[in-house]
């Protein structure tokens, strides 16, 4: 067991029973011309966490840990995209429309790919998901159960949307979750701060949080 100095108190995991889950670090959210920017957001805020996420990813791989990557990506016929989701907001381009990185939030398009610095390697699980949460309408829970995974160390974007939804889904399914504070980001700094606070409130009601430096120091080399 590895014991990590986390908030609101120590977080325990073992590399054999934990998965690193990296949420939606896709060009569509992080680069210009994708879904994030079409919603009116400044994507440079999200670009700033790529190196911290990469640092944890490399250390986790070196420790022999299991890695899951998720992508928010719909089927090309949009049969898994509710009309209400497509209508939402007032974007310049809607889900399925063609933008500079291909069709917005559609699987197989350049924009739906994970940024090159964080691309999956052989042996890692990549989950395409139609919702904000990574468990809704995906095989993620079965894949984790099959491997005896009980703890999830989570990074990715955006903190209060896909990351928080996934943490809550995971918590309800019995996983103990750690959110890496500098491994997640929001287009809205105040939403990130509120999400970190509400996750660890009430004695880790949803999970734990810690800076990546603490996780890096605790991982076996
Ligand atoms: N818009 C926003 O903040 N996020 C999303 O739409 N998806 C994810 O968080 N991945």
């Amino acid at each position: 067991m590895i014991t990590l100095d986390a908030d609101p108190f120590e977080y325990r995991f073992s590399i054999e029973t934990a998965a690193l889950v990296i949420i939606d670090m896709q060009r569509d959210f992080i680069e210009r011309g994708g879904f994030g920017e079409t919603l009116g957001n400044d994507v440079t805020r999200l670009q700033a966490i790529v190196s911290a996420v990469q640092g944890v990813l490399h250390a986790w791989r070196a420790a022999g840990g299991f890695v899951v990557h998720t992508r928010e990506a719909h089927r090309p016929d949009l049969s898994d995209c509710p009309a209400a989701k497509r209508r939402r907001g007032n974007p310049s381009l809607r889900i399925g429309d063609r933008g500079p990185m291909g069709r917005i939030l559609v699987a197989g398009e350049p924009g739906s790919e994970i940024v090159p610095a964080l691309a999956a390697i052989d042996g890692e699980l990549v989950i395409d998901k139609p919702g904000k949460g990574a468990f809704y309408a995906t095989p993620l829970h079965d894949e984790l159960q099959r491997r005896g995974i009980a703890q999830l160390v989570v990074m990715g974007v955006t903190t209060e949307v896909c990351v928080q939804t996934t943490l809550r889904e995971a918590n309800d399914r019995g996983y103990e979750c750690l959110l890496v504070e500098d491994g997640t980001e929001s287009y809205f700094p105040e939403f990130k701060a509120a999400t970190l606070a509400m996750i660890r409130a009430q004695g880790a009601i949803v999970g734990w949080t810690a800076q990546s430096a603490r996780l890096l120091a605790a991982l076996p080399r």
Side-chain angles (χ1 to χ4, degrees), residues 23-24 29 35 39 41 72 129 132 157-158 160-163 187:
I23 309 282
D24 300 0
F29 294 105
F35 187 59
L39 292 169
N41 297 307
E72 186 174 351
K129 59 185 184 61
K132 302 306 183 192
V157 297
T158 62
E160 80 283 11
V161 183
C162 292
V163 173
Y187 300 118

Side-chain angles (χ1 to χ4, degrees), residues 16-21 66-70 123-128 134-135 137-152 173 175:
E16 292 78 22
T17 60
L20 181 68
V21 180
F66 182 57
V67 179
V68 181
H69 306 258
T70 73
E124 297 179 348
L125 180 65
V126 180
I127 296 276
D128 280 346
F135 289 86
T138 76
L140 180 58
H141 186 50
D142 288 345
E143 294 281 357
L144 295 174
Q145 293 295 295
R146 199 159 66 73
R147 292 172 171 87
I149 300 292
Q151 300 102 28
L152 305 181
R173 286 165 176 78
Y175 299 97

Side-chain angles (χ1 to χ4, degrees), residues 15-196:
I15 207 74
E16 292 78 22
T17 60
L20 181 68
V21 180
I22 305 179
I23 309 282
D24 300 0
M25 291 297 287
Q26 298 162 257
R27 299 182 64 197
D28 256 326
F29 294 105
I30 293 169
E31 294 185 18
R32 299 205 60 189
F35 187 59
E37 192 177 67
T38 196
L39 292 169
N41 297 307
D42 171 11
V43 296
T44 57
R45 290 190 53 77
L46 273 50
Q47 288 165 11
I49 68 162
V50 171
S51 71
V53 174
Q54 190 184 39
V56 173
L57 174 61
H58 287 177
W60 194 269
R61 284 173 177 162
F66 182 57
V67 179
V68 181
H69 306 258
T70 73
R71 300 184 295 208
E72 186 174 351
H74 293 278
R75 296 187 194 124
D77 65 2
L78 302 186
S79 58
D80 60 354
C81 182
K85 181 178 182 183
R86 192 154 190 269
R87 276 197 305 268
R88 198 73 50 81
N90 189 22
S92 50
L93 292 171
R94 293 185 186 278
I95 295 169
D97 287 351
R98 196 162 292 282
M101 293 191 289
R103 296 179 65 204
I104 298 284
L105 239 53
V106 170
E109 299 287 335
S112 83
E113 294 304 324
I114 293 165
V115 294
L118 306 175
I121 62 173
D122 279 354
E124 297 179 348
L125 180 65
V126 180
I127 296 276
D128 280 346
K129 59 185 184 61
K132 302 306 183 192
F135 289 86
Y136 168 67
T138 76
L140 180 58
H141 186 50
D142 288 345
E143 294 281 357
L144 295 174
Q145 293 295 295
R146 199 159 66 73
R147 292 172 171 87
I149 300 292
Q151 300 102 28
L152 305 181
V153 174
V154 180
M155 302 190 289
V157 297
T158 62
T159 316
E160 80 283 11
V161 183
C162 292
V163 173
Q164 178 165 216
T165 303
T166 298
L167 282 166
R168 290 175 182 276
E169 287 181 330
N171 189 48
D172 283 348
R173 286 165 176 78
Y175 299 97
E176 293 189 306
C177 300
L178 175 81
L179 177 57
V180 180
E181 294 169 9
D182 50 333
T184 185
E185 195 47 271
S186 169
Y187 300 118
F188 306 89
E190 68 276 26
F191 290 171
K192 174 178 175 176
T195 301
L196 293 176

